[in-house]
Amino acid sequence: MTTTTQSQTSLDSVAELAAQLRVDSIRASTSAGSGHPTSSMSAADLLAVLVARHLRYDWDDPDLPANDHLIFSKGHASPLLYSVFKAVGVISEDELMSGYRRFGQRLQGHPTPVLPWVDVATGSLGQGLPDGVGIALAGRYLERRSYRVWVLCGDSEMAEGSMWEALDKAAYYRLSNLIAIVDVNRLGQRGPTELGWDLDAYRRRAEAFGARVIIVDGHNLAAIDDALTEAEYTAVGQPTVVLAQTVKGRGFSEVEDHPDWHGRPFPPDMAERAITELGGIRDLVLRGPRPTGNVAAEAAVPAEDRARPTGSEAATAAEPITYALGRQAATCKAYGDALVALGARDHRIVALDGEVSNSTYAVEFARAYPDRYFEMFIAEQQMVGAATGLAARGYRPFASTFAAFLTRAYDFIRMGAISGVDLRLIGSHAGVEIGADGPSQMALEDLAMMRAVHGATVLYPSDGTSTAALVQTMADTPGISYLRTTRGAYPVLYPAGETFRIGGSKVLRSGHYDDITLVGAGVTLHACLRAADILRNEGIQARVIDCYSIKPIDSATLAAAAVATSGRMVIAEDHHPEGGLGSAVTEALLAAGQSDLRLAHLAVRGMPGSGSGAELLAWAGIDADHIAAAARKLMDPAQANLDWPRLSGRDLR
Amino acid sequence: MTTTTQSQTSLDSVAELAAQLRVDSIRASTSAGSGHPTSSMSAADLLAVLVARHLRYDWDDPDLPANDHLIFSKGHASPLLYSVFKAVGVISEDELMSGYRRFGQRLQGHPTPVLPWVDVATGSLGQGLPDGVGIALAGRYLERRSYRVWVLCGDSEMAEGSMWEALDKAAYYRLSNLIAIVDVNRLGQRGPTELGWDLDAYRRRAEAFGARVIIVDGHNLAAIDDALTEAEYTAVGQPTVVLAQTVKGRGFSEVEDHPDWHGRPFPPDMAERAITELGGIRDLVLRGPRPTGNVAAEAAVPAEDRARPTGSEAATAAEPITYALGRQAATCKAYGDALVALGARDHRIVALDGEVSNSTYAVEFARAYPDRYFEMFIAEQQMVGAATGLAARGYRPFASTFAAFLTRAYDFIRMGAISGVDLRLIGSHAGVEIGADGPSQMALEDLAMMRAVHGATVLYPSDGTSTAALVQTMADTPGISYLRTTRGAYPVLYPAGETFRIGGSKVLRSGHYDDITLVGAGVTLHACLRAADILRNEGIQARVIDCYSIKPIDSATLAAAAVATSGRMVIAEDHHPEGGLGSAVTEALLAAGQSDLRLAHLAVRGMPGSGSGAELLAWAGIDADHIAAAARKLMDPAQANLDWPRLSGRDLR
């Protein structure tokens, strides 16, 4: 074993390292019978130079705040990344050869942060660079540290608009600490890329989006070294894009530049020929430069705080706004107020918004703490990507836009769950309640979308008090948490100080002889309360449940209500019927073993158009009158089948 | 009333028209108490020149194939669009003043194709241009007509990556018939845009992405006229981007270039002052040029066929591939084969793919009908946008990628439903079954996402025969239809000729004395069949249902099975537990009035990692052994509560 530890590894050693990275990428993927050796081989020289001579990283302390960051936006080149980990001595030969892509192992098919040297999960192309923007924002504006964020990008993924959203924001925020290295090997999965080896075309695009561009022969080690030196030492107030012309499968003549070898491991005999051509198996262990900059100062920070931001504002314990019972308040406004209060007490709180902060009320946080607010303009994918990067650095991002437009970022939200980051997403203006703007702005799929995210928390408060409480709770909620807010103002239902736990609910009306249960959340809860009043005048006693926590859901309270009201329950939601509140409630009841249910599920079953909120809630069949009518039908033993689809309005289209 | 009908309206008349468009935009939004007058006023001069002198459109025959297309990508400028409709005489003053944004009316808050002059719904920014690319592709490559596609874009929406995906594809496909007019009024919803009036920055970006750029003063009618003339008459094999420097609220001095007037109608007194400043109410009706080109030839085509493509290939009635019972076949491959067969019989079938056609097997269609295949590279948003545009022209697009990556296009899919287009989406490589690639590629949210789309059809076949049949059915299925396919090969279950209706299911095992029902779809159906074998050896008779149609679902068959098996049912799905097959089945049973259910829902409840498909199906608790175990528990009357969440594997992360 040859161990090189000097701070500047010679280019001869780098060449050996590059060969080893290729050989190990081949061996790992062949041993797994799966993986992308050729996509690793094209970038091996780039990574060898980067890791040996430029990446400032203490491999024994991946949490060191001064460490640079290395993101494989082309996550399918995981064999190369894991070969790097072997070469710096943090994983063993054995793990590389027997752990890659195997069940229960951490060297997954695409990198995830189960590995301590990985910041964010990649594998859905076009996300590593947006995530890297978030880390670079943290470094430059919040941590104020000198680390750099190096992102290895594929050329194919430059077709994703999100890559351009990322460069746009990187330029807007002058992220000179962000360096994208694009491995232009000209071949995608099924054939040539759009732009092939036209590096000048990439150059024009990246420059137009505000990046400084350096073009390099991606297999000339000295040239790469010069390029990365230029990238890191010339502070220009711009992100840097290194465009590297490379050859897919470089180093093994049988596959070089061959379109048919994407994502295919070499069969053992072929792997053997490749390894021979590459000069055999090596066992080099070497490391590059250690972090510089403010390492000494950081060493004084207690270890548990090191990855944490140090706020610049005074830690004023701003009291959250309280809401007088019965007063009209919009939950979207309550979100903004609560976030401001939260921001005063916790400097890790940061906020992002997609150019609608005066609607989502993120603007209140932006005004109070401009240093911790990041305007993402109309780029929802980048907004969630930046939030992911910020969360990976220990911040607590709240990212908001209209609930409808969070659908734009679904792939990023899904990947955030795989990254295991804690993201707080706020979707305002949900449902037909918004009225005149029409269906494009309504969000009738968001609850389904968010519930299906692994480990997600889905909240839908109905008043100012509960919104304020839940926003505060979200700051400490792990995983992806989602808060759905409402445009219009509705009466405050809860006194100040009322607590709202995740997975809880509130029983707002109940008695010993309840006939039926009405379940609502957000705007429909108010309709349930009015329906209960209507029914009471008719002698029907309704229990009313505020299901503000849709995931997890309060199964016990729902089940008890079902038992108490002979299985009779009306569920009303301002959402399409699939996957939202109705699904959550019915699945909870069934999972809890409830039978003998007699349910009515009121939801938005048609395609809405414009109108007033009240008109549309009535049209959808989710207002107080329809809830009361459904309750009456459920009380009628002669009514065998409610025929849910006929309970609501038809298309307005 | 002044009616001008000459083919070339004078610029003096155009000025009058522009003033009228401003006045009417103000009047419509003030009358509605809602809407975006200032965003309409910035673009009024552009639209006046375009409509009066350049847009070739027969307003009396919006379905005329030779008509140009006009898309408001900035859909919030709907007052301007509707004012145009009044100015050309297709809607009345009364409709404009009393119909805008009102319940049950067609002049919705954002344009939708309930109006015959609107191709696609807009309002989620960054989508009109991608949709326009689809229409331009149809015009250039399929219809081979000379119409142009004019897309009015906002400057704020240029922050959406999808706009750059659109320009990239427009350049790649040399769409000289596509002209984007960007209304650079420098103000977004909450303040200045990123680039303000830096038209040169926009120019560099658009040129780098392959567009020809023309910069113009957006309030100089003669200059606009010259710019649009240049845009339409100089064929350059490139899309054109007209960058127009404009002033938000132009024409009313109180609000011009004012950041606080986004999306706000003027109060009546203010509207009155604005109308006075603009010279009062006008009642001009005028029309621009009529379509030229091959109008005469098209007139001979029967009306019902006029919006339809005319194929270039011979209408060979290729027989679909049949699958021998018990043979191993992958449904993803069966999709490709079926699409080829379909393509031979129907020239309206077109296919798109996101650079994974060799995995989705769209490549087979691409090889058979290269003229009807559009490679979208890794740009899923643009893929669905192009499909939307193609569908708006009467084609029948099938768009495919990994199911996981359709999440990238959710906002486009949602908007497709609002557009009312028929889109066929194919998601391959779904679920933990894919194995080694890990969670980023798995799609465990797609069924929830697609079910929540209004009017969607969600299909998940388990064998070659059913896949082939369902692909054929999808060609005639209205709305958004989604086919989920599986990577691995599994035994063919159905003989050739078996029919599979939308909303149906197949009972694969049943008897007079069934004890329990097992419900699966796709890969879990095979597990259900094996579980039934295991159970039979233990004396438990299981009914097995292939729930290939998840939405709509076969409530009757499921309800009958529930009755026959005393409410005992195991549902297994390769998807997260929320919103997928389990939700569909349980909601169907409850909606059908079933009670006394005793269900077990097996789903992917943890975060998966890499592994083999078999290992991961076992880990998730959705393989035959787990299904059999759940069935045994359900048969045990002592087992009160199955505790669904404990039935499956925990996080591998």
Side-chain angles (χ1 to χ4, degrees):
Chain A
M1 181 190 291
T2 315
T3 304
T4 311
T5 52
Q6 71 268 36
S7 63
Q8 185 77 307
T9 305
S10 73
L11 285 182
D12 285 348
S13 297
V14 172
E16 278 297 291
L17 172 61
Q20 173 172 317
L21 296 177
R22 290 192 167 93
V23 167
D24 285 350
S25 294
I26 292 165
R27 294 168 69 224
S29 51
T30 292
S31 77
S34 170
H36 295 71
T38 58
S39 299
S40 297
M41 293 160 81
S42 60
D45 294 319
L46 297 165
L47 264 287
V49 176
L50 174 61
V51 169
R53 292 166 65 102
H54 298 274
L55 184 79
R56 297 180 191 148
Y57 200 93
D58 183 342
W59 291 99
D60 295 324
D61 190 358
D63 290 332
L64 191 73
N67 278 342
D68 279 0
H69 294 268
L70 173 61
I71 298 173
F72 266 43
S73 195
K74 52 176 290 187
H76 55 287
S78 57
L80 176 62
L81 183 63
Y82 302 155
S83 297
V84 165
F85 292 164
K86 181 196 133 181
V88 297
V90 294
I91 70 166
S92 67
E93 161 80 8
D94 184 57
E95 181 169 7
L96 183 65
M97 294 302 292
S98 62
Y100 182 50
R101 288 179 168 245
R102 309 306 202 283
F103 180 77
Q105 301 295 313
R106 61 181 184 167
L107 302 187
Q108 297 193 6
H110 296 77
T112 74
V114 292
L115 294 162
W117 317 281
V118 172
D119 291 293
V120 290
T122 53
S124 179
L125 289 169
Q127 300 206 20
L129 189 61
D131 292 352
V133 166
I135 295 176
L137 284 170
R140 179 182 165 102
Y141 291 99
L142 301 170
E143 303 179 66
R144 297 174 195 267
R145 291 201 173 93
S146 54
Y147 65 68
R148 289 84 52 89
V149 183
W150 304 85
V151 184
L152 178 68
C153 306
D155 50 353
S156 281
E157 68 178 322
M158 300 309 282
E160 285 283 11
S162 57
M163 297 298 271
W164 302 98
E165 294 180 11
L167 283 181
D168 180 48
K169 292 304 166 299
Y172 182 82
Y173 283 106
R174 302 175 61 79
L175 299 179
S176 53
N177 53 347
L178 182 72
I179 304 162
I181 303 175
V182 187
D183 177 17
V184 186
N185 65 24
R186 89 164 189 92
L187 290 173
Q189 169 173 328
R190 45 124 288 289
T193 60
E194 277 173 290
L195 297 176
W197 274 323
D198 186 353
L199 274 78
D200 207 50
Y202 287 110
R203 182 186 60 71
R204 286 193 299 271
R205 294 182 182 196
E207 285 181 352
F209 271 73
R212 176 187 47 165
V213 172
I214 302 168
I215 290 184
V216 69
D217 172 352
H219 300 307
N220 179 328
L221 299 180
I224 296 168
D225 194 50
D226 288 345
L228 299 190
T229 301
E230 187 185 345
E232 65 190 341
Y233 284 113
T234 317
V236 286
Q238 289 180 293
T240 297
V241 173
V242 177
L243 296 170
Q245 180 164 350
T246 62
V247 175
K248 199 158 178 174
R250 169 76 171 203
F252 181 32
S253 49
E254 288 182 38
V255 302
E256 278 188 1
D257 196 32
H258 198 296
D260 292 341
W261 279 98
H262 178 93
R264 293 172 60 190
F266 306 147
D269 59 322
M270 210 170 149
E272 204 168 305
R273 291 197 300 278
I275 294 166
T276 301
E277 184 174 337
L278 286 160
I281 295 171
R282 290 160 182 81
D283 203 5
L284 204 66
V285 177
L286 59 76
R287 292 188 175 184
R290 279 181 46 80
T292 56
N294 37 8
V295 173
E298 283 161 0
V301 180
E304 64 273 26
D305 282 348
R306 285 197 306 182
R308 306 269 177 82
T310 51
S312 57
E313 300 102 2
T316 53
E319 281 305 306
I321 287 182
T322 56
Y323 299 86
L325 278 174
R327 173 192 146 189
Q328 300 277 317
T331 56
C332 58
K333 175 71 164 62
Y335 162 68
D337 293 334
L339 194 64
V340 169
L342 197 57
R345 295 194 307 281
D346 185 346
H347 287 128
R348 292 167 296 181
I349 304 291
V350 298
L352 307 93
D353 192 89
E355 222 276 315
V356 289
S357 60
N358 50 342
S359 291
T360 61
Y361 287 96
V363 68
E364 304 201 356
F365 186 94
R367 285 188 190 127
Y369 316 108
D371 293 350
R372 287 187 274 147
Y373 175 78
F374 299 99
E375 176 58 58
M376 288 289 124
F377 297 94
I378 308 184
E380 296 82 6
Q381 297 188 94
Q382 177 55 51
M383 180 178 74
V384 176
T388 299
L390 288 160
R393 292 304 303 149
Y395 292 89
R396 298 180 161 191
F398 283 74
S400 51
T401 183
F402 282 23
F405 305 141
L406 282 174
T407 56
R408 200 65 160 257
Y410 195 26
D411 199 17
F412 283 74
I413 297 168
R414 179 182 77 85
M415 289 298 295
I418 299 174
S419 284
V421 291
D422 305 335
L423 296 183
R424 295 144 200 94
L425 304 175
I426 287 77
S428 72
H429 294 66
V432 302
E433 193 266 354
I434 66 158
D437 276 315
S440 64
Q441 326 283 304
M442 279 179 176
L444 297 167
E445 310 83 0
D446 58 320
L447 296 175
M449 167 177 101
M450 293 305 309
R451 281 184 68 235
V453 172
H454 178 63
T457 299
V458 178
L459 305 170
Y460 185 17
S462 58
D463 86 334
T465 304
S466 51
T467 302
L470 290 169
V471 169
Q472 190 168 332
T473 303
M474 283 173 85
D476 299 309
T477 300
I480 313 290
S481 54
Y482 173 56
L483 182 82
R484 188 188 220 221
T485 65
T486 303
R487 180 182 192 170
Y490 293 85
V492 173
L493 302 173
Y494 302 103
E498 181 97 13
T499 59
F500 296 82
R501 68 177 175 86
I502 304 284
S505 67
K506 294 287 172 185
V507 180
L508 280 165
R509 302 275 173 86
S510 73
H512 289 299
Y513 305 102
D514 289 336
D515 299 301
I516 191 161
T517 305
L518 311 181
V519 180
V523 65
T524 60
L525 177 67
H526 297 278
C528 287
L529 290 168
R530 285 194 299 277
D533 292 341
I534 294 169
L535 293 167
R536 192 179 46 208
N537 290 336
E538 301 169 14
I540 299 173
Q541 298 300 321
R543 181 171 297 194
V544 177
I545 299 179
D546 174 2
C547 214
Y548 64 81
S549 179
I550 295 180
K551 180 184 175 186
I553 197 162
D554 188 353
S555 302
T557 298
L558 290 165
V563 169
T565 60
S566 310
R568 287 188 291 258
M569 191 176 280
V570 181
I571 310 155
E573 62 181 318
D574 193 357
H575 186 274
H576 283 321
E578 300 87 0
L581 176 65
S583 298
V585 171
T586 53
E587 289 160 29
L589 292 172
L590 291 169
Q594 287 294 309
S595 60
D596 242 341
L597 295 167
R598 195 158 155 73
L599 309 177
H601 179 203
L602 309 183
V604 182
R605 294 177 190 272
M607 174 60 77
S610 292
S612 72
E615 285 168 334
L616 290 166
L617 292 165
W619 158 81
I622 56 174
D623 65 352
D625 288 341
H626 285 82
I627 293 168
R632 276 180 220 113
K633 281 188 192 164
L634 283 180
M635 294 301 298
D636 176 4
Q639 193 92 27
N641 187 336
L642 282 190
D643 194 3
W644 292 3
R646 286 187 180 271
L647 293 175
S648 309
R650 314 304 292 169
D651 289 6
L652 280 182
R653 202 177 48 207
Chain B
M1 181 189 292
T2 316
T3 303
T4 312
T5 52
Q6 72 267 37
S7 63
Q8 186 79 307
T9 306
S10 74
L11 285 182
D12 286 346
S13 298
V14 172
E16 278 297 292
L17 172 61
Q20 172 171 317
L21 296 178
R22 288 191 169 93
V23 167
D24 284 349
S25 295
I26 293 165
R27 295 168 68 225
S29 50
T30 291
S31 77
S34 170
H36 295 72
T38 59
S39 300
S40 298
M41 293 159 81
S42 61
D45 294 319
L46 297 165
L47 264 287
V49 177
L50 174 61
V51 169
R53 292 166 65 102
H54 299 275
L55 184 79
R56 299 181 190 146
Y57 200 93
D58 184 341
W59 291 98
D60 295 323
D61 188 357
D63 292 331
L64 192 71
N67 278 343
D68 280 359
H69 295 268
L70 174 61
I71 297 173
F72 267 43
S73 195
K74 54 175 290 186
H76 54 289
S78 56
L80 176 61
L81 183 63
Y82 303 155
S83 297
V84 165
F85 293 163
K86 181 196 132 179
V88 297
V90 293
I91 69 167
S92 67
E93 161 80 10
D94 184 56
E95 180 168 10
L96 182 66
M97 294 302 291
S98 63
Y100 181 50
R101 287 181 168 244
R102 309 305 202 284
F103 181 77
Q105 301 296 313
R106 60 182 186 166
L107 301 187
Q108 297 194 6
H110 295 77
T112 74
V114 293
L115 294 162
W117 317 281
V118 173
D119 290 293
V120 290
T122 53
S124 178
L125 289 168
Q127 299 206 21
L129 189 61
D131 292 352
V133 166
I135 295 176
L137 284 170
R140 180 181 165 101
Y141 291 101
L142 301 170
E143 301 179 66
R144 296 173 195 269
R145 292 201 173 94
S146 55
Y147 64 69
R148 290 85 51 90
V149 183
W150 305 85
V151 184
L152 179 69
C153 306
D155 49 352
S156 281
E157 68 178 322
M158 300 309 281
E160 284 284 9
S162 57
M163 297 298 273
W164 302 98
E165 294 180 12
L167 284 181
D168 180 48
K169 292 304 166 298
Y172 182 82
Y173 283 106
R174 302 175 60 79
L175 298 179
S176 52
N177 52 347
L178 181 72
I179 305 162
I181 304 175
V182 187
D183 177 18
V184 187
N185 65 24
R186 89 162 191 93
L187 290 173
Q189 170 173 328
R190 44 125 288 290
T193 59
E194 279 173 289
L195 297 175
W197 274 324
D198 186 353
L199 274 78
D200 206 50
Y202 287 110
R203 182 187 58 72
R204 285 193 300 271
R205 294 182 181 194
E207 285 181 351
F209 272 73
R212 176 186 48 165
V213 172
I214 302 167
I215 290 183
V216 69
D217 171 353
H219 300 306
N220 179 328
L221 298 180
I224 295 168
D225 194 49
D226 288 347
L228 299 188
T229 302
E230 186 184 345
E232 66 190 339
Y233 283 115
T234 316
V236 285
Q238 289 180 293
T240 297
V241 173
V242 177
L243 296 170
Q245 181 164 350
T246 62
V247 175
K248 200 158 174 171
R250 169 77 172 203
F252 180 34
S253 49
E254 290 182 38
V255 302
E256 277 188 2
D257 196 32
H258 199 298
D260 293 341
W261 280 98
H262 178 93
R264 294 172 60 192
F266 306 147
D269 59 323
M270 213 172 147
E272 204 168 306
R273 291 196 300 277
I275 294 166
T276 302
E277 184 174 336
L278 284 160
I281 295 172
R282 292 161 181 81
D283 204 5
L284 204 65
V285 175
L286 60 75
R287 293 190 174 185
R290 279 182 45 84
T292 55
N294 37 10
V295 175
E298 283 160 1
V301 179
E304 64 272 26
D305 282 346
R306 286 197 305 179
R308 306 267 176 86
T310 51
S312 55
E313 302 101 2
T316 53
E319 281 305 307
I321 287 182
T322 56
Y323 299 87
L325 277 175
R327 172 191 148 190
Q328 299 277 317
T331 54
C332 57
K333 174 72 163 64
Y335 162 66
D337 293 334
L339 193 64
V340 169
L342 197 58
R345 295 194 307 281
D346 185 345
H347 287 130
R348 291 167 297 181
I349 304 289
V350 298
L352 308 93
D353 192 90
E355 221 276 314
V356 290
S357 61
N358 51 342
S359 290
T360 60
Y361 288 95
V363 68
E364 303 200 358
F365 186 92
R367 287 190 189 125
Y369 316 107
D371 292 350
R372 287 187 275 148
Y373 175 79
F374 299 99
E375 176 59 57
M376 288 289 124
F377 298 94
I378 308 183
E380 295 81 6
Q381 296 187 94
Q382 177 54 54
M383 180 177 76
V384 176
T388 299
L390 287 159
R393 292 304 304 149
Y395 293 89
R396 298 179 161 192
F398 283 73
S400 51
T401 183
F402 282 24
F405 306 140
L406 283 174
T407 56
R408 199 66 158 257
Y410 195 26
D411 199 17
F412 283 74
I413 296 168
R414 180 182 77 84
M415 289 298 296
I418 298 173
S419 282
V421 291
D422 305 336
L423 297 183
R424 294 141 199 99
L425 304 175
I426 288 78
S428 72
H429 294 66
V432 301
E433 193 266 354
I434 65 158
D437 276 316
S440 63
Q441 325 284 304
M442 278 177 177
L444 296 166
E445 309 83 0
D446 58 320
L447 296 175
M449 168 178 99
M450 294 305 309
R451 281 184 67 233
V453 172
H454 177 64
T457 298
V458 178
L459 305 170
Y460 185 16
S462 57
D463 86 335
T465 304
S466 51
T467 302
L470 291 170
V471 169
Q472 190 168 334
T473 303
M474 283 172 86
D476 299 310
T477 300
I480 313 289
S481 54
Y482 174 55
L483 183 81
R484 189 189 219 219
T485 65
T486 303
R487 180 182 191 168
Y490 293 85
V492 173
L493 301 173
Y494 301 102
E498 181 95 13
T499 58
F500 296 83
R501 69 180 175 84
I502 304 283
S505 67
K506 294 287 173 183
V507 180
L508 280 166
R509 301 277 172 85
S510 73
H512 289 299
Y513 305 102
D514 290 335
D515 300 302
I516 190 160
T517 304
L518 311 181
V519 180
V523 64
T524 59
L525 177 67
H526 296 278
C528 287
L529 290 168
R530 285 193 301 277
D533 293 341
I534 294 169
L535 292 167
R536 192 178 46 208
N537 290 336
E538 301 170 14
I540 299 172
Q541 299 299 323
R543 182 171 296 194
V544 177
I545 298 179
D546 175 2
C547 214
Y548 65 81
S549 179
I550 295 179
K551 181 185 175 184
I553 197 161
D554 188 353
S555 302
T557 297
L558 289 165
V563 169
T565 61
S566 310
R568 285 187 292 259
M569 192 175 281
V570 181
I571 309 154
E573 61 180 318
D574 194 357
H575 186 275
H576 283 321
E578 300 86 1
L581 176 66
S583 299
V585 171
T586 53
E587 289 160 28
L589 291 173
L590 291 170
Q594 287 293 309
S595 60
D596 241 342
L597 295 167
R598 197 161 153 69
L599 308 178
H601 179 203
L602 308 182
V604 183
R605 293 177 190 271
M607 174 60 78
S610 292
S612 73
E615 285 168 335
L616 290 166
L617 292 165
W619 159 80
I622 57 175
D623 65 352
D625 288 341
H626 284 82
I627 294 168
R632 274 181 220 114
K633 282 186 189 164
L634 284 180
M635 294 301 298
D636 176 3
Q639 194 92 25
N641 185 336
L642 282 192
D643 194 3
W644 292 2
R646 287 186 181 271
L647 293 175
S648 309
R650 313 303 292 168
D651 289 5
L652 281 182
R653 202 177 50 207

